[in-house]
Amino acid sequence: MVVISKSAKLDYQMGYLVVRSEDTVRVHIDEIHTLMIETTAVSLTTALLAELVKRKVKVIFCDEKRNPSSELLPYYGAHDTSAKIRNQMQWNQDVKDSVWTEIVSEKIRKQAELLEFLNLDEANLLYEYINEMEFGDVTNREGHAAKVYFNALFGKDFTRTAENSINAALNYGYTLILSTFNREVVSNGYITQIGLFHDNMFNQFNLASDLMEPFRPLVDSKVISLMPEKFEHSEKMDMLYILQEEVVIAGRRELVNNAIKIYARSVFDALNNSDVSLIKFYSRDEL
């Protein structure tokens, strides 16, 4: 990951990203997975943007408060995008509900595992919610679990709507994970707007919002370890390392970046083959 955090000019030369600031630095584009433009005091060339898209480098732009605000996504992520989108529009509703049930159950399981790791008794209640899960989560076990979970982590008075450093860190981390999933959705030839469960007409990223759910506890775990009293540049850099942490998936250790690729493709396989057993979830050694 490359982070540009101060005034600079970025351009493309002979396969390299060239960063011109107080010094000139060159980074080969094939070595970059993610480029984050953390400041608005950056100018860059369209030639560079075109090459970054071609090489499937994820580019995240931040606003004047240095919070992620947008990203660069290609129009065409795969050679058979049109066929993929037609398939996406025809995914069977029962299959979508079945996949969503697996995803949300795994999210609650990951939440319960984190609480258990922290020796919090509320983990037992979350495990009960998994056992009570109905098809499509029609009884909203996810919502009940979320309330218990966040109150256990951050206290009874904690709400996700409050303006504080904890929520700032959570929102920042979730945005990073969402952005990574958007990249995978597009690179696999699908569109981000059409989801499985999320269907908000104002949400451009409904599908990524669905897929990312089991990865949210990775962010929560990082925030618990930091418990920031402020959320500024150094804390944001700490959050960025979430994507470089290691997890186990498909029988091997992978960086979270790669685990997201493996998991996302497995979900698409499950949807296209009507077989939820194809979904590959990650696990963590330390939990």
Side-chain angles (χ1 to χ4, degrees):
M1 174 179 287
V2 174
V3 180
I4 309 298
S5 57
K6 58 184 179 180
S7 177
K9 294 183 178 180
L10 311 184
D11 59 43
Y12 171 73
Q13 286 185 357
M14 302 292 290
Y16 285 85
L17 161 67
V18 182
V19 183
R20 305 180 192 279
S21 186
E22 296 165 356
D23 299 307
T24 298
V25 178
R26 297 171 181 266
V27 183
H28 201 281
I29 289 182
D30 286 342
E31 297 177 357
I32 305 173
H33 176 275
T34 302
L35 172 65
M36 173 172 281
I37 312 297
E38 200 199 19
T39 172
T40 55
V42 168
S43 62
L44 62 171
T45 65
T46 54
L48 174 62
L49 291 177
E51 195 64 27
L52 291 169
V53 167
K54 187 185 301 181
R55 305 287 185 93
K56 296 187 177 181
V57 174
K58 181 174 66 175
V59 182
I60 301 173
F61 298 99
C62 295
D63 59 20
E64 70 282 358
K65 296 180 180 179
R66 296 179 180 265
N67 292 317
S69 61
S70 61
E71 60 187 81
L72 182 65
L73 287 173
Y75 277 134
Y76 311 106
H79 69 281
D80 56 350
T81 294
S82 295
K84 292 286 186 65
I85 293 174
R86 281 196 293 270
N87 287 340
Q88 182 178 1
M89 298 298 292
Q90 294 171 3
W91 283 337
N92 179 274
Q93 186 60 50
D94 284 344
V95 174
K96 290 198 294 184
D97 288 344
S98 182
V99 169
W100 174 246
T101 304
E102 293 295 315
I103 287 174
V104 76
S105 295
E106 186 65 19
K107 174 190 179 181
I108 298 174
R109 183 172 293 105
K110 290 291 187 292
Q111 291 174 329
E113 288 172 354
L114 178 56
L115 295 183
E116 187 174 19
F117 176 73
L118 297 171
N119 296 314
L120 296 171
D121 293 337
E122 288 85 351
N124 296 323
L125 184 53
L126 264 63
Y127 284 124
E128 289 180 17
Y129 286 153
I130 297 172
N131 294 330
E132 296 170 359
M133 181 69 64
E134 296 184 18
F135 188 72
D137 191 24
V138 294
T139 58
N140 193 26
R141 295 299 91 185
E142 180 195 16
H144 292 294
K147 180 174 176 56
V148 172
Y149 174 71
F150 282 111
N151 286 343
L153 288 180
F154 303 115
K156 297 291 185 182
D157 295 330
F158 178 81
T159 64
R160 283 287 290 125
T161 56
E163 292 189 11
N164 52 50
S165 59
I166 297 296
N167 275 321
L170 291 171
N171 293 337
Y172 190 88
Y174 294 154
T175 300
L176 290 175
I177 298 293
L178 177 65
S179 176
T180 305
F181 271 100
N182 283 329
R183 178 178 183 269
E184 290 309 310
V185 169
V186 173
S187 67
N188 278 278
Y190 299 98
I191 55 176
T192 61
Q193 290 89 344
I194 306 299
L196 308 177
F197 173 78
H198 290 85
D199 64 352
N200 189 323
M201 63 182 291
F202 302 110
N203 182 4
Q204 298 182 51
F205 310 122
N206 284 311
L207 184 54
S209 297
D210 290 325
L211 298 181
M212 71 175 284
E213 293 294 357
F215 285 76
R216 286 178 178 269
L218 293 175
V219 175
D220 308 332
S221 178
K222 174 63 76 172
V223 174
I224 281 291
S225 69
L226 295 175
M227 288 301 289
E229 296 182 2
K230 58 183 177 61
F231 193 68
E232 298 175 355
H233 177 72
S234 62
E235 291 78 20
K236 291 175 182 178
M237 293 302 99
D238 286 333
M239 294 300 295
L240 285 174
Y241 285 112
I242 291 173
L243 298 175
Q244 303 303 314
E245 291 181 359
E246 285 191 342
V247 296
V248 177
I249 190 169
R252 60 183 184 271
R253 300 185 67 81
E254 298 281 359
L255 298 180
V256 169
N257 266 330
N258 294 330
I260 286 174
K261 290 182 181 180
I262 294 167
Y263 160 73
R265 290 172 185 171
S266 77
V267 173
F268 297 140
D269 288 341
L271 288 162
N272 292 321
N273 293 280
S274 303
D275 184 358
V276 295
S277 70
L278 297 175
I279 301 177
K280 296 179 174 69
F281 292 113
Y282 74 90
S283 62
R284 300 183 72 185
D285 289 345
E286 65 269 30
L287 295 184

